[in-house]
Amino acid sequence: MKVNVEIDCTPLEARQFFGLPDVQPMQTAVMEKLQTQMMANIQKVSPEALMQSWLTFDPKIAERFSDMFVTMAGLGGSRAADKK
């Protein structure tokens, strides 16, 4: 004997039937807090802010980046070789 039972209900109705709590208010609060934090920190990942944080670590890093890109492009040697 084979019995198929089809239940047509929404996820909310299924949670209520099984006695599970309604998590919609918690999800809404968490998503609002996450959105607020993301919007507050969006400036930290802008290209200008990233370059500023990288360049303040080492004063000569701009020169090293330039040398690296020149070397990768095959346009010439490093600046140390040019100074000799």
Side-chain angles (χ1 to χ4, degrees), residues 11-23:
L12 177 61
E13 291 170 340
R15 282 194 300 270
Q16 289 172 346
F17 177 77
F18 288 111
L20 297 173
D22 182 19
V23 294

Side-chain angles (χ1 to χ4, degrees), residues 3 9 17 26 28-29 48 56-58 72 81 84:
V3 177
C9 66
F17 177 77
M26 181 181 64
T28 303
E48 295 84 12
T56 57
F57 180 74
D58 184 4
M72 284 176 26
K84 290 182 181 179

Side-chain angles (χ1 to χ4, degrees), residues 50-80:
L50 287 175
M51 288 303 294
Q52 182 65 29
S53 68
W54 291 346
L55 295 178
T56 57
F57 180 74
D58 184 4
K60 293 190 175 188
I61 198 141
E63 184 178 328
R64 291 186 184 135
F65 268 123
S66 176
D67 290 345
M68 180 183 66
F69 288 126
V70 167
T71 304
M72 284 176 26
L75 298 175
S78 67
R79 289 185 184 184

